[in-house]
Amino acid sequence: MGFNSEGAEVVAARLRRRPSGLIVGGNLGKNKATPEETALDDYAAAYRLIAPQVDYIALNVSSPNTPGLRNLQAPKALDPLLAGMLALRKEMGLEAQPLLLKLAPDLAFEDLDAIVEVAVSSGISGLIATNTTLDRSIVSAMNHDKVLAWGQGGLSGRGLAAKARAVRLRLLQALDGRLPLVACGGIGSGADVAQALKDGAVLAQIYSALIFKGPALVGRIHQELPHLMNTEP
Ligand SMILES: Cc1cc2nc3c(=O)[nH]c(=O)nc-3n(C[C@H](O)[C@H](O)[C@H](O)COP(=O)(O)O)c2cc1C
């Protein structure tokens, strides 16, 4: 669907009224109609509105439903995008606010290595991996026809877990501790979070499992985690 939100101005106004005491991140992408060449202008406009209202920003260059967005992961497009956003962060006096880059699970492993080098040398704060996948081969044979009938769009949730983890492991290897990595994709239990942290991620994010299991999932994971972290992988 692309980013069918009410837009950054409306979201920023809503965030200004949010209760304190919660960590909230802003997730930015370019508009569907904006060509890749001027994508930075969109990210910058959204950043100016959203960044002052949140605790961290994720630059989303990995949603599959906005034409051209994922091409921004190519090093020659990524380099100026990250440089431009870091310059803006400085101009706004927000150097202390983490600026993270969110990646797709559908990149070739060799491309991941190149992206890591661009990310590390840019000076951004870390990576989030992964977004949804376009890869229909992750769907079980039983559900294959049904999912193909849904048409285009990114797949998320449990079926994405193995693919997202494989991408994270490669990224962690390439990063070699130079930047932190936030795990995302198919995480839905304390065991999943423990595995991601033991793999080397510093945080875990959940989307689909929150929908299927409800918001109490977060509390359950927090209860389970200390025990799970003390057991062997
Ligand atoms: C309905 C839906 C909307 C999403 N919108 C965004 C988005 O605006 N920006 C983004 O970076 N990721 C978006 N995602 C991707 C999720 O944030 C997450 O990276 C992905 O679903 C994998 O995690 P999960 O398996 O826990 O769902 C969306 C996912 C779904 C299912």
Side-chain angles (χ1 to χ4, degrees):
M1 291 181 181
F3 301 125
N4 50 338
S5 88
E6 292 171 278
E9 278 168 27
V10 175
V11 175
R14 195 176 293 137
L15 285 168
R16 274 195 286 280
R17 301 191 303 269
R18 77 179 164 99
S20 58
L22 283 174
I23 295 173
V24 175
N27 183 286
L28 310 183
K30 76 170 184 69
N31 286 315
K32 204 167 185 169
T34 303
E36 281 158 58
E37 298 73 44
T38 53
L40 174 61
D41 297 343
D42 272 16
Y43 283 89
Y47 186 90
R48 283 182 193 282
L49 289 161
I50 302 294
Q53 310 303 332
V54 295
D55 301 293
Y56 74 90
I57 289 285
L59 295 178
N60 174 15
V61 289
S62 46
S63 281
N65 306 328
T66 297
L69 189 88
R70 297 185 312 157
N71 297 341
L72 298 170
Q73 293 172 118
K76 72 174 188 318
L78 194 56
D79 200 24
L81 178 69
L82 298 182
M85 295 308 291
L86 285 164
L88 179 58
R89 183 175 74 162
K90 190 168 182 202
E91 180 194 311
M92 292 176 65
L94 292 171
E95 289 102 321
Q97 184 181 76
L99 183 65
L100 303 159
L101 179 69
K102 182 164 172 183
L103 298 172
D106 299 327
L107 295 153
F109 275 12
E110 310 79 73
D111 294 339
L112 293 178
D113 295 344
I115 290 168
V116 161
E117 293 316 313
V118 172
V120 170
S121 56
S122 74
I124 60 159
S125 320
L127 302 178
I128 305 176
T130 69
N131 213 307
T132 57
T133 183
L134 286 174
D135 180 1
R136 265 45 185 169
S137 75
I138 67 163
V139 180
S140 69
M142 199 176 73
N143 291 323
H144 208 255
D145 291 350
K146 185 173 78 180
V147 172
L148 285 191
W150 287 341
Q152 293 176 345
L155 300 178
S156 65
R158 197 187 297 165
L160 171 61
K163 190 179 177 84
R165 182 174 180 228
V167 168
R168 287 197 295 273
L169 290 173
R170 178 67 177 232
L171 287 170
L172 285 160
Q173 191 182 33
L175 283 168
D176 196 21
R178 290 178 291 168
L179 285 178
L181 181 121
V182 179
C184 185
I187 294 173
S189 68
D192 294 339
V193 175
Q195 183 183 56
L197 298 180
K198 286 177 186 178
D199 285 343
V202 296
L203 291 167
Q205 288 190 340
I206 302 175
Y207 191 128
S208 301
L210 263 189
I211 295 169
F212 293 115
K213 298 185 178 180
L217 173 65
V218 179
R220 282 206 301 279
I221 289 176
H222 274 265
Q223 270 173 353
E224 289 168 21
L225 208 51
H227 168 71
L228 291 164
M229 290 307 287
N230 285 330
T231 51
E232 291 300 310

